Amino acid sequence: MTIRKIKEGIYWAGSLDWDRRLFDELIPLPDGTTYNSYIVEGEKTALIDTVDPTKGQELVDNLTAWGGSIDFVVANHAEQDHSGSIPRVLTLFPHAKVVTNSKCKNMLMDLLLIPEEKFLTVNDGETLSLGNRTLQFFMTPWVHWPETMVTYLKEERILFSCDFLGSHLAASHLFARDKEKVFESAKRYYAEIMMPFRTSIRSHLEKLDALTVNIVAPSHGPLHDEPHFILDCYREWVSDTVKNEVVLPFVSMHQSTRAMVDYLVDALIDRNITVKPFNLIQTDIGELAKALVDAATLVIACPTVLAGPHPAAVYAAYLAGALRPKTRIVGIIGSYGWGGKSVETLSQLIQNLTVEVLDPVLIKGYPEQEDFRLLENLADEILKKHKALNI
Ligand code: FEO
Protein backbone atom coordinates (compact mmCIF):
# COMPACT_ATOMS: atom_id res chain seq x y z
CA MET A 1 0.00 0.00 0.00
CA THR A 2 1.36 3.41 -0.92
CA ILE A 3 1.30 6.42 1.38
CA ARG A 4 -1.91 8.44 1.52
CA LYS A 5 -2.24 12.16 2.10
CA ILE A 6 -4.32 13.29 5.08
CA LYS A 7 -3.39 16.97 4.87
CA GLU A 8 -0.47 18.87 3.38
CA GLY A 9 2.63 17.34 4.95
CA ILE A 10 0.69 14.73 6.92
CA TYR A 11 0.50 11.21 5.53
CA TRP A 12 -0.71 7.73 6.38
CA ALA A 13 2.17 5.35 5.71
CA GLY A 14 0.89 2.15 7.28
CA SER A 15 -0.20 -1.27 6.17
CA LEU A 16 -3.53 -3.00 5.56
CA ASP A 17 -3.58 -6.57 6.81
CA TRP A 18 -6.61 -7.92 4.97
CA ASP A 19 -5.82 -11.56 5.77
CA ARG A 20 -5.05 -11.54 9.47
CA ARG A 21 -7.64 -13.60 11.30
CA LEU A 22 -6.27 -13.78 14.84
CA PHE A 23 -4.62 -11.29 17.13
CA ASP A 24 -2.51 -12.29 20.14
CA GLU A 25 -3.38 -15.87 19.07
CA LEU A 26 -6.64 -15.17 20.83
CA ILE A 27 -8.83 -12.47 19.31
CA PRO A 28 -10.67 -13.28 16.05
CA LEU A 29 -10.29 -10.63 13.34
CA PRO A 30 -13.14 -11.31 10.89
CA ASP A 31 -12.34 -8.12 8.96
CA GLY A 32 -8.55 -8.14 9.18
CA THR A 33 -6.90 -5.02 10.57
CA THR A 34 -4.61 -2.15 9.70
CA TYR A 35 -1.43 -0.85 11.33
CA ASN A 36 -1.52 2.90 10.87
CA SER A 37 1.74 4.78 10.85
CA TYR A 38 1.75 8.53 10.24
CA ILE A 39 4.32 10.95 8.83
CA VAL A 40 4.12 14.50 10.17
CA GLU A 41 6.42 16.78 8.23
CA GLY A 42 7.88 19.97 9.64
CA GLU A 43 11.31 21.51 9.87
CA LYS A 44 11.85 18.24 11.71
CA THR A 45 9.73 15.25 10.75
CA ALA A 46 8.06 12.69 13.00
CA LEU A 47 6.76 9.20 12.33
CA ILE A 48 3.95 8.36 14.70
CA ASP A 49 3.81 4.64 15.54
CA THR A 50 5.10 1.98 13.16
CA VAL A 51 3.58 -1.32 11.97
CA ASP A 52 3.52 -4.96 12.95
CA PRO A 53 6.94 -6.50 12.22
CA THR A 54 5.33 -8.86 9.68
CA LYS A 55 4.58 -5.73 7.63
CA GLY A 56 7.85 -3.94 8.32
CA GLN A 57 9.02 -4.11 4.71
CA GLU A 58 5.84 -2.35 3.59
CA LEU A 59 6.59 0.51 5.95
CA VAL A 60 10.18 0.69 4.72
CA ASP A 61 8.92 0.74 1.10
CA ASN A 62 6.45 3.51 1.95
CA LEU A 63 9.10 5.62 3.64
CA THR A 64 11.52 5.05 0.78
CA ALA A 65 8.87 6.08 -1.77
CA TRP A 66 8.07 9.16 0.32
CA GLY A 67 11.75 10.07 0.20
CA GLY A 68 12.07 12.30 3.27
CA SER A 69 13.99 11.86 6.49
CA ILE A 70 12.59 10.91 9.90
CA ASP A 71 13.93 12.74 12.95
CA PHE A 72 11.56 11.38 15.59
CA VAL A 73 9.67 8.10 15.92
CA VAL A 74 6.83 8.59 18.38
CA ALA A 75 5.89 5.37 20.20
CA ASN A 76 2.45 5.76 21.71
CA HIS A 77 2.41 2.14 22.87
CA ALA A 78 4.98 -0.62 23.27
CA GLU A 79 2.92 -3.51 21.89
CA GLN A 80 4.70 -4.90 18.88
CA ASP A 81 1.93 -4.36 16.33
CA HIS A 82 2.84 -0.66 16.60
CA SER A 83 6.39 -0.69 17.90
CA GLY A 84 7.74 -3.82 16.22
CA SER A 85 9.10 -2.02 13.17
CA ILE A 86 10.87 0.75 15.13
CA PRO A 87 14.23 -1.06 14.86
CA ARG A 88 13.90 -1.14 11.05
CA VAL A 89 13.05 2.57 10.97
CA LEU A 90 16.07 3.31 13.16
CA THR A 91 18.26 1.36 10.76
CA LEU A 92 16.88 3.45 7.89
CA PHE A 93 17.27 6.73 9.83
CA PRO A 94 20.11 6.17 12.32
CA HIS A 95 19.94 9.71 13.67
CA ALA A 96 16.25 9.42 14.63
CA LYS A 97 15.19 9.45 18.28
CA VAL A 98 12.34 7.39 19.73
CA VAL A 99 9.98 9.73 21.55
CA THR A 100 7.93 8.17 24.31
CA ASN A 101 7.25 8.16 28.05
CA SER A 102 9.59 6.51 30.53
CA LYS A 103 7.40 3.43 31.08
CA CYS A 104 7.15 2.80 27.36
CA LYS A 105 10.87 3.38 26.97
CA ASN A 106 11.64 0.64 29.49
CA MET A 107 9.23 -1.73 27.76
CA LEU A 108 10.73 -1.03 24.34
CA MET A 109 14.19 -1.66 25.74
CA ASP A 110 12.95 -5.01 27.10
CA LEU A 111 10.81 -6.07 24.13
CA LEU A 112 12.84 -4.78 21.19
CA LEU A 113 16.31 -4.36 22.71
CA ILE A 114 16.46 -0.70 21.62
CA PRO A 115 19.42 0.96 23.39
CA GLU A 116 18.64 3.65 25.96
CA GLU A 117 20.53 6.40 24.13
CA LYS A 118 18.03 6.22 21.26
CA PHE A 119 15.23 7.61 23.41
CA LEU A 120 13.85 11.03 24.14
CA THR A 121 11.39 10.74 27.03
CA VAL A 122 8.36 12.96 27.48
CA ASN A 123 5.90 13.56 30.30
CA ASP A 124 2.19 14.23 30.40
CA GLY A 125 1.30 17.45 28.56
CA GLU A 126 4.85 17.98 27.26
CA THR A 127 5.32 19.30 23.73
CA LEU A 128 7.85 18.60 21.00
CA SER A 129 8.42 21.27 18.38
CA LEU A 130 8.89 20.18 14.79
CA GLY A 131 9.51 23.82 13.89
CA ASN A 132 6.29 24.86 12.23
CA ARG A 133 4.30 22.09 13.92
CA THR A 134 3.93 20.99 17.52
CA LEU A 135 3.25 17.58 18.99
CA GLN A 136 1.80 17.33 22.48
CA PHE A 137 1.75 14.11 24.47
CA PHE A 138 -0.92 13.01 26.92
CA MET A 139 -0.53 9.97 29.13
CA THR A 140 -3.51 7.63 28.86
CA PRO A 141 -2.49 4.65 30.97
CA TRP A 142 -4.46 1.41 30.57
CA VAL A 143 -5.76 1.81 27.06
CA HIS A 144 -4.82 -0.97 27.25
CA TRP A 145 -1.31 -1.27 28.70
CA PRO A 146 0.13 0.79 31.56
CA GLU A 147 2.38 2.85 29.28
CA THR A 148 -0.14 3.95 26.64
CA MET A 149 -0.25 7.59 25.56
CA VAL A 150 -1.72 9.68 22.74
CA THR A 151 -0.15 12.38 20.59
CA TYR A 152 -1.91 15.59 19.62
CA LEU A 153 -0.84 17.67 16.64
CA LYS A 154 -1.77 21.11 17.88
CA GLU A 155 -1.89 23.13 14.65
CA GLU A 156 -4.10 20.69 12.68
CA ARG A 157 -5.85 19.38 15.82
CA ILE A 158 -5.27 15.75 14.98
CA LEU A 159 -5.34 13.20 17.79
CA PHE A 160 -3.11 10.19 17.14
CA SER A 161 -4.71 7.82 19.59
CA CYS A 162 -3.00 4.48 18.84
CA ASP A 163 -5.18 1.56 20.08
CA PHE A 164 -7.57 3.97 21.82
CA LEU A 165 -10.60 4.73 19.58
CA GLY A 166 -9.40 2.20 16.99
CA SER A 167 -10.93 -0.81 15.29
CA HIS A 168 -9.70 -4.01 13.73
CA LEU A 169 -11.05 -3.28 10.28
CA ALA A 170 -9.22 -3.35 6.97
CA ALA A 171 -11.12 -1.06 4.61
CA SER A 172 -10.26 0.77 1.42
CA HIS A 173 -11.48 4.15 2.70
CA LEU A 174 -8.92 6.04 4.77
CA PHE A 175 -11.71 7.70 6.78
CA ALA A 176 -14.70 6.02 8.42
CA ARG A 177 -17.44 6.13 5.82
CA ASP A 178 -19.51 2.99 6.45
CA LYS A 179 -20.52 4.11 9.93
CA GLU A 180 -22.54 1.00 10.74
CA LYS A 181 -19.61 -1.28 9.93
CA VAL A 182 -17.12 0.89 11.78
CA PHE A 183 -19.43 1.03 14.80
CA GLU A 184 -19.59 -2.78 14.99
CA SER A 185 -15.81 -3.17 14.54
CA ALA A 186 -14.95 -0.44 17.03
CA LYS A 187 -17.38 -1.82 19.61
CA ARG A 188 -15.98 -5.31 19.23
CA TYR A 189 -12.44 -3.93 19.56
CA TYR A 190 -13.40 -1.95 22.66
CA ALA A 191 -14.96 -5.08 24.15
CA GLU A 192 -11.94 -7.25 23.49
CA ILE A 193 -9.18 -5.07 24.88
CA MET A 194 -10.49 -1.82 26.36
CA MET A 195 -13.51 -2.87 28.42
CA PRO A 196 -11.53 -4.03 31.49
CA PHE A 197 -10.22 -0.45 31.82
CA ARG A 198 -13.55 1.34 31.51
CA THR A 199 -12.98 3.64 34.47
CA SER A 200 -9.55 4.76 33.26
CA ILE A 201 -10.92 5.38 29.79
CA ARG A 202 -13.72 7.50 31.20
CA SER A 203 -11.19 9.79 32.89
CA HIS A 204 -9.08 9.99 29.71
CA LEU A 205 -12.13 11.03 27.71
CA GLU A 206 -12.84 13.77 30.24
CA LYS A 207 -9.24 14.96 29.97
CA LEU A 208 -9.37 14.98 26.17
CA ASP A 209 -12.59 17.03 26.26
CA ALA A 210 -10.33 20.04 26.80
CA LEU A 211 -8.85 19.57 23.31
CA THR A 212 -10.44 20.55 20.03
CA VAL A 213 -10.10 17.50 17.81
CA ASN A 214 -10.71 17.72 14.07
CA ILE A 215 -9.44 14.24 13.21
CA VAL A 216 -9.01 11.12 15.32
CA ALA A 217 -6.21 9.06 13.80
CA PRO A 218 -5.98 5.70 15.58
CA SER A 219 -3.35 3.09 14.80
CA HIS A 220 -5.91 0.46 13.79
CA GLY A 221 -8.80 0.91 11.38
CA PRO A 222 -10.23 3.94 9.64
CA LEU A 223 -9.58 7.55 10.74
CA HIS A 224 -12.41 9.77 11.90
CA ASP A 225 -12.96 13.20 10.40
CA GLU A 226 -16.22 13.35 12.33
CA PRO A 227 -14.59 12.63 15.69
CA HIS A 228 -17.77 13.01 17.73
CA PHE A 229 -18.96 9.72 16.21
CA ILE A 230 -16.28 7.56 17.82
CA LEU A 231 -15.98 9.74 20.93
CA ASP A 232 -19.73 9.49 21.55
CA CYS A 233 -19.59 5.72 21.10
CA TYR A 234 -16.87 5.47 23.74
CA ARG A 235 -18.74 7.79 26.09
CA GLU A 236 -21.71 5.47 25.95
CA TRP A 237 -19.69 2.26 26.27
CA VAL A 238 -17.75 3.45 29.33
CA SER A 239 -20.84 4.92 31.02
CA ASP A 240 -22.69 3.01 33.73
CA THR A 241 -25.78 2.72 31.55
CA VAL A 242 -26.84 -0.85 30.82
CA LYS A 243 -29.47 -2.14 28.39
CA ASN A 244 -32.47 -4.37 28.86
CA GLU A 245 -30.49 -7.32 27.52
CA VAL A 246 -29.47 -10.79 28.60
CA VAL A 247 -26.34 -12.39 27.17
CA LEU A 248 -26.68 -16.15 27.31
CA PRO A 249 -23.55 -18.18 26.48
CA PHE A 250 -24.36 -21.88 26.57
CA VAL A 251 -23.08 -25.35 25.84
CA SER A 252 -25.09 -28.55 25.89
CA MET A 253 -23.94 -32.16 25.60
CA HIS A 254 -27.19 -34.15 25.44
CA GLN A 255 -29.77 -31.39 24.86
CA SER A 256 -30.89 -31.07 28.51
CA THR A 257 -29.17 -27.73 29.03
CA ARG A 258 -30.20 -26.76 25.50
CA ALA A 259 -33.87 -27.37 26.39
CA MET A 260 -33.43 -25.07 29.39
CA VAL A 261 -31.79 -22.41 27.24
CA ASP A 262 -34.55 -22.54 24.63
CA TYR A 263 -37.18 -22.22 27.33
CA LEU A 264 -35.42 -19.31 29.05
CA VAL A 265 -34.89 -17.50 25.75
CA ASP A 266 -38.65 -17.65 25.06
CA ALA A 267 -39.49 -16.64 28.62
CA LEU A 268 -37.24 -13.57 28.35
CA ILE A 269 -38.64 -12.61 24.95
CA ASP A 270 -42.16 -12.90 26.43
CA ARG A 271 -41.07 -10.34 29.00
CA ASN A 272 -39.79 -7.97 26.33
CA ILE A 273 -36.16 -8.51 27.24
CA THR A 274 -33.61 -8.69 24.43
CA VAL A 275 -31.75 -11.98 24.65
CA LYS A 276 -28.53 -12.90 22.87
CA PRO A 277 -27.76 -16.63 23.06
CA PHE A 278 -24.27 -17.82 22.06
CA ASN A 279 -23.64 -21.49 21.40
CA LEU A 280 -20.10 -21.69 22.75
CA ILE A 281 -19.15 -24.58 20.50
CA GLN A 282 -19.51 -22.45 17.40
CA THR A 283 -19.55 -18.85 18.57
CA ASP A 284 -17.09 -16.13 17.68
CA ILE A 285 -15.79 -15.12 21.09
CA GLY A 286 -15.41 -11.50 19.90
CA GLU A 287 -19.17 -11.32 19.30
CA LEU A 288 -19.77 -12.58 22.82
CA ALA A 289 -17.43 -9.93 24.19
CA LYS A 290 -19.21 -7.25 22.18
CA ALA A 291 -22.60 -8.34 23.51
CA LEU A 292 -21.26 -7.93 27.04
CA VAL A 293 -20.48 -4.23 26.52
CA ASP A 294 -23.90 -3.02 27.59
CA ALA A 295 -26.07 -5.97 28.64
CA ALA A 296 -27.53 -5.75 32.12
CA THR A 297 -27.51 -9.50 32.67
CA LEU A 298 -25.31 -12.49 31.92
CA VAL A 299 -26.71 -16.01 32.23
CA ILE A 300 -24.26 -18.88 31.77
CA ALA A 301 -25.83 -22.20 30.78
CA CYS A 302 -23.67 -25.23 31.32
CA PRO A 303 -23.87 -29.01 31.72
CA THR A 304 -21.73 -30.81 34.27
CA VAL A 305 -18.92 -32.97 32.91
CA LEU A 306 -16.18 -34.72 34.90
CA ALA A 307 -17.77 -33.34 38.10
CA GLY A 308 -17.41 -29.73 37.02
CA PRO A 309 -18.56 -27.19 34.43
CA HIS A 310 -18.04 -27.93 30.75
CA PRO A 311 -14.67 -26.37 29.69
CA ALA A 312 -16.40 -24.21 27.05
CA ALA A 313 -18.45 -22.57 29.80
CA VAL A 314 -15.34 -22.23 31.95
CA TYR A 315 -13.75 -20.29 29.10
CA ALA A 316 -16.79 -18.01 28.75
CA ALA A 317 -16.93 -17.35 32.50
CA TYR A 318 -13.19 -16.70 32.66
CA LEU A 319 -13.50 -14.31 29.72
CA ALA A 320 -16.38 -12.43 31.36
CA GLY A 321 -14.34 -12.16 34.57
CA ALA A 322 -11.30 -10.90 32.67
CA LEU A 323 -13.20 -8.41 30.48
CA ARG A 324 -15.05 -6.94 33.48
CA PRO A 325 -18.18 -5.71 31.67
CA LYS A 326 -20.62 -3.40 33.44
CA THR A 327 -23.10 -6.28 33.73
CA ARG A 328 -25.10 -6.02 36.95
CA ILE A 329 -26.76 -9.41 37.26
CA VAL A 330 -25.52 -12.96 36.72
CA GLY A 331 -27.40 -16.23 36.55
CA ILE A 332 -26.22 -19.82 36.15
CA ILE A 333 -28.38 -22.60 34.77
CA GLY A 334 -27.64 -26.15 33.67
CA SER A 335 -28.12 -29.84 33.98
CA TYR A 336 -26.14 -32.60 35.68
CA GLY A 337 -26.25 -36.38 35.71
CA TRP A 338 -25.27 -37.27 39.26
CA GLY A 339 -23.57 -34.29 40.92
CA GLY A 340 -20.62 -31.94 40.68
CA LYS A 341 -19.45 -28.43 41.42
CA SER A 342 -20.38 -26.48 38.31
CA VAL A 343 -21.96 -23.54 40.11
CA GLU A 344 -19.11 -23.15 42.59
CA THR A 345 -16.46 -23.23 39.88
CA LEU A 346 -18.27 -20.80 37.56
CA SER A 347 -19.00 -18.44 40.47
CA GLN A 348 -15.32 -18.31 41.37
CA LEU A 349 -14.41 -17.37 37.80
CA ILE A 350 -16.62 -14.30 37.89
CA GLN A 351 -16.01 -13.30 41.48
CA ASN A 352 -14.23 -10.08 40.51
CA LEU A 353 -17.38 -8.76 38.81
CA THR A 354 -19.52 -6.35 40.81
CA VAL A 355 -22.73 -8.24 40.21
CA GLU A 356 -25.70 -9.72 41.97
CA VAL A 357 -25.68 -13.48 41.45
CA LEU A 358 -29.20 -14.89 41.22
CA ASP A 359 -30.19 -18.29 42.59
CA PRO A 360 -28.89 -20.90 40.13
CA VAL A 361 -31.22 -23.28 38.35
CA LEU A 362 -29.42 -26.63 38.35
CA ILE A 363 -31.46 -29.66 37.46
CA LYS A 364 -30.88 -33.40 37.31
CA GLY A 365 -31.23 -34.84 33.81
CA TYR A 366 -33.73 -33.52 31.27
CA PRO A 367 -35.94 -30.60 32.46
CA GLU A 368 -39.47 -31.37 33.61
CA GLN A 369 -42.45 -29.14 34.37
CA GLU A 370 -41.13 -28.10 37.78
CA ASP A 371 -37.78 -27.15 36.22
CA PHE A 372 -39.46 -24.98 33.60
CA ARG A 373 -41.32 -23.26 36.41
CA LEU A 374 -37.95 -22.44 37.99
CA LEU A 375 -36.85 -20.91 34.68
CA GLU A 376 -40.07 -18.84 34.61
CA ASN A 377 -39.14 -17.61 38.09
CA LEU A 378 -35.65 -16.76 36.89
CA ALA A 379 -37.04 -14.75 33.97
CA ASP A 380 -39.39 -12.95 36.40
CA GLU A 381 -36.47 -12.17 38.68
CA ILE A 382 -34.40 -10.77 35.80
CA LEU A 383 -37.35 -8.64 34.69
CA LYS A 384 -37.78 -7.33 38.23
CA LYS A 385 -34.07 -6.44 38.47
CA HIS A 386 -34.10 -4.72 35.09
CA LYS A 387 -37.15 -2.68 36.07
CA ALA A 388 -35.36 -1.64 39.24
CA LEU A 389 -32.58 -0.35 36.95
CA ASN A 390 -35.17 1.62 34.96
CA ILE A 391 -34.46 -0.27 31.75
FE1 FEO B 1 -2.70 -2.54 18.67
FE2 FEO B 1 -2.13 -2.92 22.02
O1 FEO B 1 -1.75 -3.00 20.23
Side-chain angles (χ1 to χ4, degrees), residues 23-24 33-35 77-83 143-145 147-148 162-164 168 189 193-194 219-220:
F23 195 86
D24 289 346
T33 191
T34 74
Y35 316 108
H77 178 25
E79 194 166 9
Q80 291 91 330
D81 53 323
H82 309 293
S83 70
V143 290
H144 59 127
W145 281 14
E147 88 301 358
T148 41
C162 200
D163 277 342
F164 188 26
H168 282 310
Y189 181 76
I193 65 166
M194 299 288 172
S219 293
H220 291 295

Side-chain angles (χ1 to χ4, degrees), residues 207-245:
K207 187 164 144 184
L208 295 176
D209 274 345
L211 302 177
T212 302
V213 176
N214 291 341
I215 294 176
V216 169
S219 293
H220 291 295
L223 288 71
H224 298 272
D225 52 3
E226 296 171 36
H228 62 87
F229 165 73
I230 190 68
L231 290 166
D232 288 349
C233 288
Y234 263 72
R235 285 188 191 107
E236 185 187 325
W237 298 334
V238 301
S239 76
D240 289 330
T241 309
V242 288
K243 291 185 177 166
N244 182 24
E245 293 179 1

Side-chain angles (χ1 to χ4, degrees), residues 41-341:
E41 292 178 342
E43 288 162 31
K44 299 276 187 184
T45 293
L47 183 72
I48 299 179
D49 291 327
T50 68
V51 301
D52 190 271
T54 57
K55 295 286 187 178
Q57 188 57 45
E58 249 183 76
L59 178 62
V60 168
D61 291 346
N62 287 344
L63 293 173
T64 306
W66 163 66
S69 181
I70 298 294
D71 300 291
F72 303 109
V73 185
V74 175
N76 281 318
H77 178 25
E79 194 166 9
Q80 291 91 330
D81 53 323
H82 309 293
S83 70
S85 295
I86 293 176
R88 291 191 75 158
V89 175
L90 293 179
T91 303
L92 209 57
F93 305 103
H95 68 282
K97 290 282 185 192
V98 180
V99 181
T100 192
N101 60 76
S102 57
K103 262 191 197 144
C104 189
K105 178 187 87 169
N106 290 333
M107 291 172 113
L108 292 174
M109 288 168 63
D110 290 340
L111 295 171
L112 300 172
L113 310 181
I114 299 172
E116 187 160 18
E117 62 269 21
K118 296 302 292 182
F119 287 92
L120 178 66
T121 55
V122 291
N123 295 310
D124 188 38
E126 204 170 315
T127 57
L128 175 70
S129 175
L130 302 178
N132 50 339
R133 284 185 160 129
T134 317
L135 300 177
Q136 188 168 21
F137 308 98
F138 295 98
M139 302 305 126
T140 51
W142 298 111
V143 290
H144 59 127
W145 281 14
E147 88 301 358
T148 41
M149 68 179 204
V150 297
T151 300
Y152 181 59
L153 176 57
K154 291 181 84 161
E155 289 75 13
E156 279 79 6
R157 297 173 172 173
I158 300 177
L159 183 69
F160 298 98
S161 57
C162 200
D163 277 342
F164 188 26
L165 310 172
S167 55
H168 282 310
L169 173 62
S172 50
H173 288 297
L174 184 59
F175 287 94
R177 291 292 173 259
D178 181 348
K179 291 286 199 309
E180 207 173 312
K181 181 71 184 167
V182 175
F183 173 86
E184 294 300 330
S185 297
K187 186 175 185 182
R188 180 185 172 102
Y189 181 76
Y190 165 83
E192 289 163 339
I193 65 166
M194 299 288 172
M195 189 155 64
F197 312 109
R198 193 168 63 92
T199 314
S200 298
I201 293 173
R202 199 185 309 179
S203 70
H204 299 327
L205 286 170
E206 285 165 10
K207 187 164 144 184
L208 295 176
D209 274 345
L211 302 177
T212 302
V213 176
N214 291 341
I215 294 176
V216 169
S219 293
H220 291 295
L223 288 71
H224 298 272
D225 52 3
E226 296 171 36
H228 62 87
F229 165 73
I230 190 68
L231 290 166
D232 288 349
C233 288
Y234 263 72
R235 285 188 191 107
E236 185 187 325
W237 298 334
V238 301
S239 76
D240 289 330
T241 309
V242 288
K243 291 185 177 166
N244 182 24
E245 293 179 1
V246 173
V247 173
L248 182 37
F250 71 92
V251 55
S252 185
M253 293 157 61
H254 297 289
Q255 302 308 309
S256 303
T257 300
R258 180 66 197 244
M260 297 175 75
V261 167
D262 290 346
Y263 193 91
L264 183 60
V265 166
D266 288 346
L268 292 167
I269 290 172
D270 282 346
R271 287 159 179 78
N272 223 12
I273 296 170
T274 300
V275 56
K276 297 181 176 176
F278 291 91
N279 183 339
L280 291 167
I281 302 309
Q282 60 194 40
T283 201
D284 170 341
I285 216 73
E287 286 299 310
L288 172 59
K290 189 171 75 174
L292 287 170
V293 168
D294 32 32
T297 297
L298 166 68
V299 176
I300 302 171
C302 170
T304 297
V305 57
L306 299 173
H310 190 288
V314 170
Y315 182 39
Y318 175 81
L319 195 70
L323 293 177
R324 286 185 269 151
K326 55 187 170 184
T327 307
R328 307 287 182 82
I329 301 139
V330 168
I332 297 172
I333 66 172
S335 164
Y336 62 92
W338 54 88
K341 292 191 178 298

